[in-house]
């Protein structure tokens, strides 16, 4: 298994099956992959619809949280269960385009130093208030963390599994992956990706919630980065 696609979902009953169909079509040429849907305590028919699709897609897996734990927790749960060496994260609302996953794979195949590829949304399909709030948040985050990623809010990412599991499993992890990776002296890249309007369901975040939580998270991540130790190199000593 080379790739595991992780889809964290909460109440996306009208999006999940069309999204699965798109993912399997986009990755048809990929030799070895699996798809994990991590249901974060949905109260609608999302898990039952995925369960019915298990027979149609042999490499599809469903993992359920008993109660809502948040997007970062869902990604960590999925990563721990995944079998792939690489993890592709994609949101369950269908705003991310699965067709952007193969270009991400080609990017890491062409550069062995890359450990993370961040999706950067072009022509974002959201309300003006969300776009302005996101622009302001990205500017503040970059000014403080210097993470070299203009759009950490994009749910589409490709990261090495062992690296992701070594990052701190904190509630805000999905927003600060580029900063934590750069803080370790590792190489990441950005890739322009498609963004689509939400056609069904409702967003789980408000601008006020993002701002209030994000400010505390920002300084917490800065604290973590400053305390990361970067070894200058190590060699194994063998018996003569």
């Amino acid at each position: 298994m080379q790739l595991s696609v992780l889809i964290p979902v909460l109440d996306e009953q009208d999006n999940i099956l069309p999204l699965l169909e798109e993912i399997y079509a986009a990755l048809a040429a990929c030799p070895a992959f699996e798809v994990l849907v991590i249901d974060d305590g949905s109260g609608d028919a999302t898990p039952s619809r995925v369960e019915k699709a298990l027979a149609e897609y042999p490499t599809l897996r469903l993992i359920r949280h008993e109660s809502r734990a948040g997007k970062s927790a869902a990604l960590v749960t999925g990563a721990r269960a995944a079998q792939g060496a690489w993890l592709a994260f994609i949101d369950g609302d269908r705003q991310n385009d699965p067709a952007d996953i193969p270009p991400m794979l080609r990017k890491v195949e062409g550069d062995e130093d890359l450990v993370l590829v961040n999706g950067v949304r072009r022509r974002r399909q959201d309300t003006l208030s969300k776009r302005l709030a996101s622009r302001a948040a990205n500017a503040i985050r970059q000014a403080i963390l210097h993470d070299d990623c203009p759009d950490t809010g994009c749910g589409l990412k490709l990261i090495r599994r062992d690296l992701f599991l070594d990052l701190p499993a904190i509630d805000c992890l999905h927003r600060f992956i580029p900063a934590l990776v750069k803080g370790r002296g590792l190489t990441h890249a950005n890739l322009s990706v498609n963004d689509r309007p939400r056609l069904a369901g409702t967003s789980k975040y408000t601008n006020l919630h993002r701002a209030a939580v994000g400010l505390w998270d920002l300084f917490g991540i800065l604290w973590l980065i400053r305390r990361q130790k970067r070894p200058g190199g190590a060699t194994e000593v063998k018996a003569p």
Side-chain angles (χ1 to χ4, degrees):
M1 190 66 64
Q2 298 175 357
L3 175 70
S4 297
V5 181
L6 307 188
I7 315 172
V9 291
L10 174 66
D11 295 336
E12 297 289 0
Q13 62 180 14
D14 296 322
N15 288 315
I16 190 60
L17 294 185
L19 177 60
L20 289 174
E21 184 177 352
E22 285 187 301
I23 289 172
Y24 277 90
L27 297 177
C30 188
F33 73 94
E34 63 178 352
V35 179
L36 286 79
V37 176
I38 307 95
D39 182 77
D40 190 35
S42 290
D44 65 359
T46 299
S48 63
R49 293 186 182 183
V50 176
E51 190 172 354
K52 290 179 181 178
L54 293 175
E56 182 178 356
Y57 303 109
T59 60
L60 175 63
R61 300 165 64 189
L62 171 63
I63 301 174
R64 299 189 63 184
H65 285 170
E66 292 183 0
S67 58
R68 185 175 180 181
K71 181 177 179 177
S72 289
L75 290 173
V76 171
T77 294
R80 287 172 176 165
Q83 299 174 16
W86 287 87
L87 305 175
F89 302 156
I90 187 168
D91 286 345
D93 56 13
R94 295 187 70 200
Q95 288 197 255
N96 299 147
D97 189 345
D100 287 314
I101 298 177
M104 288 183 156
L105 291 170
R106 290 193 291 270
K107 200 167 184 67
V108 298
E109 287 170 357
D111 188 344
E112 63 181 14
D113 291 329
L114 274 181
V115 297
L116 166 68
V117 181
N118 308 293
V120 176
R121 293 167 289 188
R122 57 177 179 266
R123 296 186 296 277
R124 184 173 173 183
Q125 302 296 310
D126 255 321
T127 62
L128 177 61
S129 63
K130 279 192 175 182
R131 294 199 305 271
L132 292 175
S134 179
R135 191 176 303 170
N138 280 319
I140 294 171
R141 190 201 66 258
Q142 287 189 78
I144 295 175
L145 299 182
H146 306 288
D147 58 10
D148 299 331
C149 181
D151 184 17
T152 62
C154 179
L156 194 58
K157 290 179 173 62
L158 180 70
I159 187 171
R160 221 172 56 196
R161 177 176 177 266
D162 60 343
L163 170 61
F164 180 71
L165 288 175
D166 197 44
L167 298 178
I170 51 180
D171 183 52
C172 60
L173 175 58
H174 66 279
R175 299 187 189 99
F176 298 103
I177 293 174
L180 290 167
V181 169
K182 184 184 176 184
R184 294 183 174 211
L186 301 174
T187 304
H188 69 88
N190 302 316
L191 182 69
S192 181
V193 299
N194 190 27
D195 189 51
R196 308 184 292 188
R198 177 185 268 277
L199 300 178
T202 58
S203 174
K204 309 308 182 291
Y205 303 99
T206 65
N207 291 338
L208 181 60
H209 174 270
R210 290 176 193 261
V213 175
L215 185 61
W216 287 107
D217 291 345
L218 183 62
F219 289 105
I221 292 295
L222 182 62
W223 183 89
L224 282 172
I225 291 173
R226 287 182 173 178
R227 280 153 182 79
Q228 288 188 121
K229 299 292 185 182
R230 295 191 207 175
T235 57
E236 181 180 355
V237 179
K238 298 183 181 295

